[in-house]
Amino acid sequence: METIIKNVRSVTEYRHINQKTLALKSHVSRNTINKFFSPNRSINPRLSTLVNIARALNINLVQLFNKYIDLNDFYDKDMDLEQYLNIFTQNTKLQIRGSKQKFLSSDPGIEESTISSLLSHTTSDPKLSTLTAVSVQLDIDLTILFKRGGNTI
């Protein structure tokens, strides 16, 4: 989460966007935006929040997860929450191919029903902590799970 917060802060500063404007452009509450800028605030945003913030900053969602952000990178403004979630789900399914999804729920804090809902698309807006936990269990960087053709097998 530290990287995401750092990237949101640096892009808003670079683009001269204040918190109020970011909230308006992203359709995310000012209170939630404020959490990205307040030290010592715990935040576990939903994927839709991150997609909306990335879109408001004119960057791809994946760039929020990168240690170093490239503002000249291609920005696909047509990507939406559903597309990002489909990519994540497909890449996750590719990684657990031959394994049972129960393997993913062996991490404390992730229930098998949560994993099942995520992989069957009955969860339409997961929290970042869930996506990060899947990434950790698979031992694959979150950025790879959100990239088209992110297969690392």
Side-chain angles (χ1 to χ4, degrees):
M1 190 63 208
E2 280 181 40
T3 301
I4 295 170
I5 290 171
K6 180 185 83 59
N7 286 339
V8 168
R9 289 176 181 173
S10 65
V11 175
T12 55
E13 185 177 311
Y14 178 81
R15 298 232 163 103
H16 306 288
I17 299 172
N18 62 32
Q19 292 179 40
K20 182 179 180 181
T21 302
L22 181 58
L24 289 170
K25 288 176 80 172
S26 65
H27 305 286
V28 172
S29 76
R30 178 78 191 270
N31 184 40
T32 300
I33 296 296
N34 186 41
K35 290 178 184 177
F36 284 89
F37 292 87
S38 300
N40 304 322
R41 296 285 298 271
S42 178
I43 184 168
N44 183 22
R46 293 201 172 275
L47 182 58
S48 62
T49 299
L50 296 175
V51 169
N52 288 340
I53 289 172
R55 182 177 284 156
L57 295 173
N58 293 323
I59 60 174
N60 290 312
L61 172 69
V62 174
Q63 288 185 284
L64 287 179
F65 305 129
N66 287 333
K67 188 173 182 178
Y68 300 103
I69 195 163
D70 181 3
L71 294 174
N72 296 318
D73 197 19
F74 172 73
Y75 166 57
D76 187 350
K77 65 181 186 233
D78 295 325
M79 286 291 291
D80 62 16
L81 172 64
E82 186 176 346
Q83 290 170 309
Y84 280 118
L85 193 54
N86 283 337
I87 291 168
F88 180 89
T89 302
Q90 293 298 27
N91 285 336
T92 300
K93 286 178 178 179
L94 282 172
Q95 295 305 317
I96 63 171
R97 187 177 37 196
S99 302
K100 300 212 183 290
Q101 71 186 36
K102 190 171 189 169
F103 145 80
L104 289 175
S105 64
S106 63
D107 184 36
I110 309 177
E111 296 180 13
E112 189 173 356
S113 61
T114 302
I115 300 300
S116 180
S117 295
L118 180 64
L119 297 180
S120 66
H121 292 281
T122 55
T123 297
S124 60
D125 195 9
K127 291 199 171 242
L128 178 62
S129 60
T130 301
L131 302 173
T132 302
V134 169
S135 169
V136 168
Q137 280 297 101
L138 291 173
D139 194 27
I140 296 173
D141 193 81
L142 194 56
T143 58
I144 292 171
L145 292 175
F146 275 109
K147 287 185 179 176
R148 286 188 180 112
N151 188 3
T152 62
I153 294 178

